[in-house]
Every structure is written in structure tokens, then in C-alpha cells.
PDB file of all heavy atoms in Angstrom:
ATOM      1  N   ASN A  86       1.804 -10.576  37.633  1.00  0.00           N
ATOM      2  CA  ASN A  86       1.885 -11.899  37.008  1.00  0.00           C
ATOM      3  C   ASN A  86       3.194 -12.116  36.263  1.00  0.00           C
ATOM      4  O   ASN A  86       3.469 -13.217  35.820  1.00  0.00           O
ATOM      5  CB  ASN A  86       0.726 -12.091  36.032  1.00  0.00           C
ATOM      6  CG  ASN A  86      -0.604 -12.093  36.740  1.00  0.00           C
ATOM      7  OD1 ASN A  86      -0.685 -12.443  37.908  1.00  0.00           O
ATOM      8  ND2 ASN A  86      -1.643 -11.695  36.043  1.00  0.00           N
ATOM      9  N   LEU A  87       4.018 -11.085  36.113  1.00  0.00           N
ATOM     10  CA  LEU A  87       5.238 -11.212  35.334  1.00  0.00           C
ATOM     11  C   LEU A  87       6.228 -12.200  35.956  1.00  0.00           C
ATOM     12  O   LEU A  87       7.014 -12.813  35.237  1.00  0.00           O
ATOM     13  CB  LEU A  87       5.912  -9.847  35.160  1.00  0.00           C
ATOM     14  CG  LEU A  87       5.177  -8.865  34.247  1.00  0.00           C
ATOM     15  CD1 LEU A  87       5.942  -7.541  34.181  1.00  0.00           C
ATOM     16  CD2 LEU A  87       4.991  -9.430  32.853  1.00  0.00           C
ATOM     17  N   LYS A  88       6.183 -12.379  37.248  1.00  0.00           N
ATOM     18  CA  LYS A  88       7.119 -13.276  37.916  1.00  0.00           C
ATOM     19  C   LYS A  88       6.916 -14.721  37.494  1.00  0.00           C
ATOM     20  O   LYS A  88       7.830 -15.525  37.576  1.00  0.00           O
ATOM     21  CB  LYS A  88       6.971 -13.142  39.428  1.00  0.00           C
ATOM     22  CG  LYS A  88       7.350 -11.784  39.948  1.00  0.00           C
ATOM     23  CD  LYS A  88       7.044 -11.665  41.426  1.00  0.00           C
ATOM     24  CE  LYS A  88       7.225 -10.217  41.844  1.00  0.00           C
ATOM     25  NZ  LYS A  88       6.681  -9.950  43.138  1.00  0.00           N
ATOM     26  N   THR A  89       5.713 -15.070  37.038  1.00  0.00           N
ATOM     27  CA  THR A  89       5.417 -16.451  36.680  1.00  0.00           C
ATOM     28  C   THR A  89       5.604 -16.731  35.191  1.00  0.00           C
ATOM     29  O   THR A  89       5.456 -17.859  34.767  1.00  0.00           O
ATOM     30  CB  THR A  89       3.969 -16.795  37.070  1.00  0.00           C
ATOM     31  OG1 THR A  89       3.084 -15.947  36.346  1.00  0.00           O
ATOM     32  CG2 THR A  89       3.756 -16.630  38.561  1.00  0.00           C
ATOM     33  N   LEU A  90       5.949 -15.723  34.398  1.00  0.00           N
ATOM     34  CA  LEU A  90       6.139 -15.923  32.964  1.00  0.00           C
ATOM     35  C   LEU A  90       7.480 -16.571  32.670  1.00  0.00           C
ATOM     36  O   LEU A  90       8.476 -16.269  33.340  1.00  0.00           O
ATOM     37  CB  LEU A  90       6.083 -14.585  32.224  1.00  0.00           C
ATOM     38  CG  LEU A  90       4.722 -13.932  32.055  1.00  0.00           C
ATOM     39  CD1 LEU A  90       4.896 -12.562  31.402  1.00  0.00           C
ATOM     40  CD2 LEU A  90       3.798 -14.792  31.229  1.00  0.00           C
ATOM     41  N   PRO A  91       7.518 -17.423  31.649  1.00  0.00           N
ATOM     42  CA  PRO A  91       8.825 -17.934  31.211  1.00  0.00           C
ATOM     43  C   PRO A  91       9.696 -16.768  30.733  1.00  0.00           C
ATOM     44  O   PRO A  91       9.196 -15.726  30.314  1.00  0.00           O
ATOM     45  CB  PRO A  91       8.469 -18.850  30.039  1.00  0.00           C
ATOM     46  CG  PRO A  91       7.014 -19.135  30.170  1.00  0.00           C
ATOM     47  CD  PRO A  91       6.415 -17.981  30.908  1.00  0.00           C
ATOM     48  N   ASP A  92      11.000 -16.939  30.806  1.00  0.00           N
ATOM     49  CA  ASP A  92      11.935 -15.867  30.468  1.00  0.00           C
ATOM     50  C   ASP A  92      11.688 -15.299  29.073  1.00  0.00           C
ATOM     51  O   ASP A  92      11.785 -14.094  28.855  1.00  0.00           O
ATOM     52  CB  ASP A  92      13.376 -16.360  30.571  1.00  0.00           C
ATOM     53  CG  ASP A  92      13.801 -16.587  32.018  1.00  0.00           C
ATOM     54  OD1 ASP A  92      13.147 -16.009  32.923  1.00  0.00           O
ATOM     55  OD2 ASP A  92      14.770 -17.334  32.238  1.00  0.00           O
ATOM     56  N   GLU A  93      11.380 -16.153  28.109  1.00  0.00           N
ATOM     57  CA  GLU A  93      11.171 -15.692  26.730  1.00  0.00           C
ATOM     58  C   GLU A  93       9.970 -14.747  26.653  1.00  0.00           C
ATOM     59  O   GLU A  93      10.039 -13.698  26.017  1.00  0.00           O
ATOM     60  CB  GLU A  93      10.950 -16.888  25.809  1.00  0.00           C
ATOM     61  CG  GLU A  93      10.773 -16.515  24.359  1.00  0.00           C
ATOM     62  CD  GLU A  93      10.568 -17.726  23.471  1.00  0.00           C
ATOM     63  OE1 GLU A  93      11.057 -18.820  23.814  1.00  0.00           O
ATOM     64  OE2 GLU A  93       9.898 -17.565  22.440  1.00  0.00           O
ATOM     65  N   LEU A  94       8.872 -15.098  27.303  1.00  0.00           N
ATOM     66  CA  LEU A  94       7.688 -14.238  27.295  1.00  0.00           C
ATOM     67  C   LEU A  94       7.935 -12.955  28.073  1.00  0.00           C
ATOM     68  O   LEU A  94       7.482 -11.885  27.680  1.00  0.00           O
ATOM     69  CB  LEU A  94       6.483 -14.979  27.865  1.00  0.00           C
ATOM     70  CG  LEU A  94       5.923 -16.101  26.999  1.00  0.00           C
ATOM     71  CD1 LEU A  94       4.779 -16.797  27.719  1.00  0.00           C
ATOM     72  CD2 LEU A  94       5.462 -15.576  25.658  1.00  0.00           C
ATOM     73  N   LEU A  95       8.654 -13.059  29.155  1.00  0.00           N
ATOM     74  CA  LEU A  95       8.982 -11.874  29.944  1.00  0.00           C
ATOM     75  C   LEU A  95       9.831 -10.907  29.119  1.00  0.00           C
ATOM     76  O   LEU A  95       9.568  -9.704  29.096  1.00  0.00           O
ATOM     77  CB  LEU A  95       9.724 -12.278  31.220  1.00  0.00           C
ATOM     78  CG  LEU A  95      10.122 -11.145  32.155  1.00  0.00           C
ATOM     79  CD1 LEU A  95       8.892 -10.355  32.593  1.00  0.00           C
ATOM     80  CD2 LEU A  95      10.852 -11.700  33.366  1.00  0.00           C
ATOM     81  N   ALA A  96      10.816 -11.420  28.399  1.00  0.00           N
ATOM     82  CA  ALA A  96      11.668 -10.580  27.555  1.00  0.00           C
ATOM     83  C   ALA A  96      10.836  -9.927  26.451  1.00  0.00           C
ATOM     84  O   ALA A  96      11.017  -8.750  26.138  1.00  0.00           O
ATOM     85  CB  ALA A  96      12.797 -11.408  26.960  1.00  0.00           C
ATOM     86  N   ASN A  97       9.910 -10.687  25.869  1.00  0.00           N
ATOM     87  CA  ASN A  97       9.048 -10.138  24.820  1.00  0.00           C
ATOM     88  C   ASN A  97       8.166  -9.030  25.389  1.00  0.00           C
ATOM     89  O   ASN A  97       7.990  -7.986  24.754  1.00  0.00           O
ATOM     90  CB  ASN A  97       8.192 -11.251  24.204  1.00  0.00           C
ATOM     91  CG  ASN A  97       7.428 -10.778  23.000  1.00  0.00           C
ATOM     92  OD1 ASN A  97       7.979 -10.082  22.151  1.00  0.00           O
ATOM     93  ND2 ASN A  97       6.156 -11.131  22.935  1.00  0.00           N
ATOM     94  N   ASP A  98       7.615  -9.230  26.574  1.00  0.00           N
ATOM     95  CA  ASP A  98       6.784  -8.216  27.216  1.00  0.00           C
ATOM     96  C   ASP A  98       7.594  -6.946  27.457  1.00  0.00           C
ATOM     97  O   ASP A  98       7.126  -5.838  27.214  1.00  0.00           O
ATOM     98  CB  ASP A  98       6.227  -8.746  28.542  1.00  0.00           C
ATOM     99  CG  ASP A  98       5.325  -7.749  29.232  1.00  0.00           C
ATOM    100  OD1 ASP A  98       4.252  -7.445  28.671  1.00  0.00           O
ATOM    101  OD2 ASP A  98       5.700  -7.256  30.318  1.00  0.00           O
ATOM    102  N   GLN A  99       8.826  -7.092  27.891  1.00  0.00           N
ATOM    103  CA  GLN A  99       9.680  -5.936  28.144  1.00  0.00           C
ATOM    104  C   GLN A  99      10.024  -5.210  26.837  1.00  0.00           C
ATOM    105  O   GLN A  99      10.060  -3.989  26.796  1.00  0.00           O
ATOM    106  CB  GLN A  99      10.940  -6.370  28.882  1.00  0.00           C
ATOM    107  CG  GLN A  99      10.650  -6.782  30.314  1.00  0.00           C
ATOM    108  CD  GLN A  99      11.827  -7.451  30.999  1.00  0.00           C
ATOM    109  OE1 GLN A  99      12.744  -7.946  30.353  1.00  0.00           O
ATOM    110  NE2 GLN A  99      11.785  -7.476  32.333  1.00  0.00           N
ATOM    111  N   ARG A 100      10.279  -5.973  25.756  1.00  0.00           N
ATOM    112  CA  ARG A 100      10.561  -5.353  24.451  1.00  0.00           C
ATOM    113  C   ARG A 100       9.357  -4.553  23.961  1.00  0.00           C
ATOM    114  O   ARG A 100       9.501  -3.450  23.435  1.00  0.00           O
ATOM    115  CB  ARG A 100      10.932  -6.417  23.415  1.00  0.00           C
ATOM    116  CG  ARG A 100      12.374  -6.859  23.473  1.00  0.00           C
ATOM    117  CD  ARG A 100      12.768  -7.657  22.231  1.00  0.00           C
ATOM    118  NE  ARG A 100      11.929  -8.826  22.009  1.00  0.00           N
ATOM    119  CZ  ARG A 100      12.120 -10.022  22.549  1.00  0.00           C
ATOM    120  NH1 ARG A 100      13.138 -10.220  23.361  1.00  0.00           N
ATOM    121  NH2 ARG A 100      11.312 -11.026  22.293  1.00  0.00           N
ATOM    122  N   MET A 101       8.152  -5.101  24.123  1.00  0.00           N
ATOM    123  CA  MET A 101       6.946  -4.393  23.691  1.00  0.00           C
ATOM    124  C   MET A 101       6.748  -3.120  24.504  1.00  0.00           C
ATOM    125  O   MET A 101       6.375  -2.082  23.963  1.00  0.00           O
ATOM    126  CB  MET A 101       5.714  -5.296  23.790  1.00  0.00           C
ATOM    127  CG  MET A 101       5.674  -6.362  22.730  1.00  0.00           C
ATOM    128  SD  MET A 101       4.126  -7.275  22.628  1.00  0.00           S
ATOM    129  CE  MET A 101       3.853  -7.800  24.284  1.00  0.00           C
ATOM    130  N   ALA A 102       7.003  -3.186  25.793  1.00  0.00           N
ATOM    131  CA  ALA A 102       6.858  -2.007  26.646  1.00  0.00           C
ATOM    132  C   ALA A 102       7.837  -0.925  26.226  1.00  0.00           C
ATOM    133  O   ALA A 102       7.477   0.257  26.136  1.00  0.00           O
ATOM    134  CB  ALA A 102       7.054  -2.380  28.107  1.00  0.00           C
ATOM    135  N   LEU A 103       9.062  -1.302  25.937  1.00  0.00           N
ATOM    136  CA  LEU A 103      10.063  -0.323  25.492  1.00  0.00           C
ATOM    137  C   LEU A 103       9.703   0.256  24.131  1.00  0.00           C
ATOM    138  O   LEU A 103       9.857   1.457  23.895  1.00  0.00           O
ATOM    139  CB  LEU A 103      11.448  -0.972  25.425  1.00  0.00           C
ATOM    140  CG  LEU A 103      12.134  -1.219  26.756  1.00  0.00           C
ATOM    141  CD1 LEU A 103      13.433  -2.001  26.551  1.00  0.00           C
ATOM    142  CD2 LEU A 103      12.413   0.090  27.469  1.00  0.00           C
ATOM    143  N   ALA A 104       9.215  -0.575  23.232  1.00  0.00           N
ATOM    144  CA  ALA A 104       8.853  -0.103  21.896  1.00  0.00           C
ATOM    145  C   ALA A 104       7.728   0.915  21.976  1.00  0.00           C
ATOM    146  O   ALA A 104       7.752   1.933  21.286  1.00  0.00           O
ATOM    147  CB  ALA A 104       8.448  -1.282  21.011  1.00  0.00           C
ATOM    148  N   SER A 105       6.741   0.668  22.824  1.00  0.00           N
ATOM    149  CA  SER A 105       5.634   1.619  22.926  1.00  0.00           C
ATOM    150  C   SER A 105       6.082   2.917  23.582  1.00  0.00           C
ATOM    151  O   SER A 105       5.561   3.986  23.276  1.00  0.00           O
ATOM    152  CB  SER A 105       4.449   1.012  23.674  1.00  0.00           C
ATOM    153  OG  SER A 105       4.793   0.759  25.007  1.00  0.00           O
ATOM    154  N   ASP A 106       7.069   2.849  24.463  1.00  0.00           N
ATOM    155  CA  ASP A 106       7.605   4.067  25.068  1.00  0.00           C
ATOM    156  C   ASP A 106       8.383   4.897  24.051  1.00  0.00           C
ATOM    157  O   ASP A 106       8.373   6.120  24.096  1.00  0.00           O
ATOM    158  CB  ASP A 106       8.534   3.732  26.240  1.00  0.00           C
ATOM    159  CG  ASP A 106       7.775   3.230  27.456  1.00  0.00           C
ATOM    160  OD1 ASP A 106       6.544   3.425  27.515  1.00  0.00           O
ATOM    161  OD2 ASP A 106       8.417   2.631  28.333  1.00  0.00           O
ATOM    162  N   ASN A 107       9.070   4.225  23.139  1.00  0.00           N
ATOM    163  CA  ASN A 107       9.926   4.904  22.169  1.00  0.00           C
ATOM    164  C   ASN A 107       9.178   5.391  20.933  1.00  0.00           C
ATOM    165  O   ASN A 107       9.705   6.204  20.183  1.00  0.00           O
ATOM    166  CB  ASN A 107      11.074   3.991  21.732  1.00  0.00           C
ATOM    167  CG  ASN A 107      12.031   3.703  22.868  1.00  0.00           C
ATOM    168  OD1 ASN A 107      12.174   4.513  23.773  1.00  0.00           O
ATOM    169  ND2 ASN A 107      12.674   2.550  22.837  1.00  0.00           N
ATOM    170  N   LYS A 108       7.998   4.874  20.679  1.00  0.00           N
ATOM    171  CA  LYS A 108       7.245   5.245  19.482  1.00  0.00           C
ATOM    172  C   LYS A 108       5.824   5.647  19.869  1.00  0.00           C
ATOM    173  O   LYS A 108       4.890   4.855  19.738  1.00  0.00           O
ATOM    174  CB  LYS A 108       7.205   4.079  18.491  1.00  0.00           C
ATOM    175  CG  LYS A 108       8.563   3.707  17.961  1.00  0.00           C
ATOM    176  CD  LYS A 108       8.483   2.566  16.999  1.00  0.00           C
ATOM    177  CE  LYS A 108       9.888   2.173  16.570  1.00  0.00           C
ATOM    178  NZ  LYS A 108       9.897   0.994  15.734  1.00  0.00           N
ATOM    179  N   PRO A 109       5.651   6.859  20.344  1.00  0.00           N
ATOM    180  CA  PRO A 109       4.300   7.285  20.740  1.00  0.00           C
ATOM    181  C   PRO A 109       3.387   7.391  19.523  1.00  0.00           C
ATOM    182  O   PRO A 109       3.854   7.504  18.381  1.00  0.00           O
ATOM    183  CB  PRO A 109       4.535   8.655  21.368  1.00  0.00           C
ATOM    184  CG  PRO A 109       5.815   9.130  20.783  1.00  0.00           C
ATOM    185  CD  PRO A 109       6.638   7.899  20.500  1.00  0.00           C
ATOM    186  N   LEU A 110       2.100   7.335  19.762  1.00  0.00           N
ATOM    187  CA  LEU A 110       1.125   7.478  18.688  1.00  0.00           C
ATOM    188  C   LEU A 110       1.250   8.849  18.046  1.00  0.00           C
ATOM    189  O   LEU A 110       1.502   9.838  18.717  1.00  0.00           O
ATOM    190  CB  LEU A 110      -0.301   7.324  19.242  1.00  0.00           C
ATOM    191  CG  LEU A 110      -0.686   5.948  19.749  1.00  0.00           C
ATOM    192  CD1 LEU A 110      -2.060   6.011  20.397  1.00  0.00           C
ATOM    193  CD2 LEU A 110      -0.676   4.937  18.627  1.00  0.00           C
ATOM    194  N   LYS A 111       1.057   8.880  16.732  1.00  0.00           N
ATOM    195  CA  LYS A 111       1.103  10.159  16.029  1.00  0.00           C
ATOM    196  C   LYS A 111      -0.249  10.842  16.227  1.00  0.00           C
ATOM    197  O   LYS A 111      -1.288  10.287  15.903  1.00  0.00           O
ATOM    198  CB  LYS A 111       1.364   9.945  14.549  1.00  0.00           C
ATOM    199  CG  LYS A 111       1.307  11.233  13.765  1.00  0.00           C
ATOM    200  CD  LYS A 111       2.191  11.188  12.567  1.00  0.00           C
ATOM    201  CE  LYS A 111       2.076  12.435  11.758  1.00  0.00           C
ATOM    202  NZ  LYS A 111       2.865  13.517  12.251  1.00  0.00           N
ATOM    203  N   ILE A 112      -0.200  12.016  16.775  1.00  0.00           N
ATOM    204  CA  ILE A 112      -1.419  12.779  16.999  1.00  0.00           C
ATOM    205  C   ILE A 112      -1.330  14.034  16.147  1.00  0.00           C
ATOM    206  O   ILE A 112      -0.341  14.759  16.198  1.00  0.00           O
ATOM    207  CB  ILE A 112      -1.575  13.143  18.490  1.00  0.00           C
ATOM    208  CG1 ILE A 112      -1.701  11.858  19.297  1.00  0.00           C
ATOM    209  CG2 ILE A 112      -2.772  14.054  18.698  1.00  0.00           C
ATOM    210  CD1 ILE A 112      -1.706  12.076  20.785  1.00  0.00           C
ATOM    211  N   LEU A 113      -2.354  14.266  15.353  1.00  0.00           N
ATOM    212  CA  LEU A 113      -2.400  15.447  14.509  1.00  0.00           C
ATOM    213  C   LEU A 113      -2.808  16.623  15.382  1.00  0.00           C
ATOM    214  O   LEU A 113      -3.933  16.682  15.864  1.00  0.00           O
ATOM    215  CB  LEU A 113      -3.406  15.238  13.367  1.00  0.00           C
ATOM    216  CG  LEU A 113      -3.180  13.992  12.504  1.00  0.00           C
ATOM    217  CD1 LEU A 113      -4.320  13.811  11.519  1.00  0.00           C
ATOM    218  CD2 LEU A 113      -1.867  14.077  11.790  1.00  0.00           C
ATOM    219  N   SER A 114      -1.880  17.549  15.587  1.00  0.00           N
ATOM    220  CA  SER A 114      -2.172  18.616  16.535  1.00  0.00           C
ATOM    221  C   SER A 114      -2.197  20.001  15.915  1.00  0.00           C
ATOM    222  O   SER A 114      -2.841  20.892  16.449  1.00  0.00           O
ATOM    223  CB  SER A 114      -1.179  18.585  17.697  1.00  0.00           C
ATOM    224  OG  SER A 114       0.132  18.672  17.214  1.00  0.00           O
ATOM    225  N   THR A 115      -1.518  20.195  14.806  1.00  0.00           N
ATOM    226  CA  THR A 115      -1.508  21.531  14.199  1.00  0.00           C
ATOM    227  C   THR A 115      -2.404  21.553  12.971  1.00  0.00           C
ATOM    228  O   THR A 115      -2.706  20.506  12.387  1.00  0.00           O
ATOM    229  CB  THR A 115      -0.080  21.949  13.779  1.00  0.00           C
ATOM    230  OG1 THR A 115       0.354  21.087  12.712  1.00  0.00           O
ATOM    231  CG2 THR A 115       0.891  21.867  14.945  1.00  0.00           C
ATOM    232  N   ASP A 116      -2.820  22.746  12.583  1.00  0.00           N
ATOM    233  CA  ASP A 116      -3.639  22.881  11.381  1.00  0.00           C
ATOM    234  C   ASP A 116      -2.901  22.349  10.156  1.00  0.00           C
ATOM    235  O   ASP A 116      -3.510  21.756   9.263  1.00  0.00           O
ATOM    236  CB  ASP A 116      -4.042  24.339  11.152  1.00  0.00           C
ATOM    237  CG  ASP A 116      -5.107  24.810  12.136  1.00  0.00           C
ATOM    238  OD1 ASP A 116      -5.757  23.955  12.782  1.00  0.00           O
ATOM    239  OD2 ASP A 116      -5.280  26.040  12.261  1.00  0.00           O
ATOM    240  N   GLU A 117      -1.584  22.523  10.119  1.00  0.00           N
ATOM    241  CA  GLU A 117      -0.792  22.040   8.984  1.00  0.00           C
ATOM    242  C   GLU A 117      -0.825  20.512   8.910  1.00  0.00           C
ATOM    243  O   GLU A 117      -0.974  19.935   7.825  1.00  0.00           O
ATOM    244  CB  GLU A 117       0.658  22.535   9.085  1.00  0.00           C
ATOM    245  CG  GLU A 117       0.813  24.024   8.870  1.00  0.00           C
ATOM    246  CD  GLU A 117       0.467  24.859  10.113  1.00  0.00           C
ATOM    247  OE1 GLU A 117       0.449  24.320  11.249  1.00  0.00           O
ATOM    248  OE2 GLU A 117       0.200  26.049   9.934  1.00  0.00           O
ATOM    249  N   GLU A 118      -0.700  19.845  10.061  1.00  0.00           N
ATOM    250  CA  GLU A 118      -0.767  18.382  10.091  1.00  0.00           C
ATOM    251  C   GLU A 118      -2.162  17.903   9.699  1.00  0.00           C
ATOM    252  O   GLU A 118      -2.309  16.923   8.969  1.00  0.00           O
ATOM    253  CB  GLU A 118      -0.401  17.866  11.474  1.00  0.00           C
ATOM    254  CG  GLU A 118       1.051  18.047  11.830  1.00  0.00           C
ATOM    255  CD  GLU A 118       1.357  17.711  13.265  1.00  0.00           C
ATOM    256  OE1 GLU A 118       0.472  17.827  14.145  1.00  0.00           O
ATOM    257  OE2 GLU A 118       2.512  17.341  13.521  1.00  0.00           O
ATOM    258  N   LEU A 119      -3.174  18.607  10.180  1.00  0.00           N
ATOM    259  CA  LEU A 119      -4.549  18.248   9.827  1.00  0.00           C
ATOM    260  C   LEU A 119      -4.789  18.410   8.324  1.00  0.00           C
ATOM    261  O   LEU A 119      -5.416  17.558   7.694  1.00  0.00           O
ATOM    262  CB  LEU A 119      -5.541  19.093  10.622  1.00  0.00           C
ATOM    263  CG  LEU A 119      -5.552  18.857  12.131  1.00  0.00           C
ATOM    264  CD1 LEU A 119      -6.392  19.914  12.830  1.00  0.00           C
ATOM    265  CD2 LEU A 119      -6.050  17.468  12.472  1.00  0.00           C
ATOM    266  N   MET A 120      -4.262  19.492   7.746  1.00  0.00           N
ATOM    267  CA  MET A 120      -4.426  19.712   6.307  1.00  0.00           C
ATOM    268  C   MET A 120      -3.695  18.649   5.497  1.00  0.00           C
ATOM    269  O   MET A 120      -4.205  18.201   4.463  1.00  0.00           O
ATOM    270  CB  MET A 120      -3.933  21.104   5.900  1.00  0.00           C
ATOM    271  CG  MET A 120      -4.960  22.193   6.044  1.00  0.00           C
ATOM    272  SD  MET A 120      -6.535  21.869   5.195  1.00  0.00           S
ATOM    273  CE  MET A 120      -6.019  21.790   3.492  1.00  0.00           C
ATOM    274  N   ARG A 121      -2.529  18.222   5.947  1.00  0.00           N
ATOM    275  CA  ARG A 121      -1.822  17.144   5.236  1.00  0.00           C
ATOM    276  C   ARG A 121      -2.658  15.873   5.236  1.00  0.00           C
ATOM    277  O   ARG A 121      -2.720  15.155   4.238  1.00  0.00           O
ATOM    278  CB  ARG A 121      -0.450  16.890   5.854  1.00  0.00           C
ATOM    279  CG  ARG A 121       0.601  17.863   5.376  1.00  0.00           C
ATOM    280  CD  ARG A 121       2.011  17.384   5.661  1.00  0.00           C
ATOM    281  NE  ARG A 121       2.308  17.210   7.073  1.00  0.00           N
ATOM    282  CZ  ARG A 121       2.757  18.178   7.875  1.00  0.00           C
ATOM    283  NH1 ARG A 121       2.964  19.387   7.404  1.00  0.00           N
ATOM    284  NH2 ARG A 121       2.999  17.923   9.135  1.00  0.00           N
TER     285      ARG A 121
END
């Protein structure tokens, strides 16, 4: 459906996709992180 979006919405969608790629969710994986 991206082909039918106005350029502004398409650019916003691309920015959101890049932001989520660059900032992964913080996952508590070590005992030290869990204790914090």
C-alpha cells in the first residue's frame, strides 16, 4: 500500500521504520540488569 501514500506520509513511514531499526527494545538479559 506504500505506493498509494502521499509523499509526506511515505517519508514519515520510512523515518519510523529507520528509528525502530536504530533503537531496539531494551531487554533485561543479565542478572545485573535484572537487579538494577
Side-chain angles (χ1 to χ4, degrees):
N86 295 333
L87 290 179
K88 295 174 189 167
T89 62
L90 286 175
D92 289 340
E93 182 179 332
L94 290 177
L95 181 58
N97 188 44
D98 182 65
Q99 290 170 340
R100 278 193 303 274
M101 287 190 308
L103 285 174
S105 65
D106 288 344
N107 294 332
K108 296 180 184 175
L110 292 174
K111 175 151 177 82
I112 297 174
L113 305 174
S114 56
T115 66
D116 287 344
E117 291 80 19
E118 290 172 332
L119 294 170
M120 274 306 297
R121 278 197 298 273

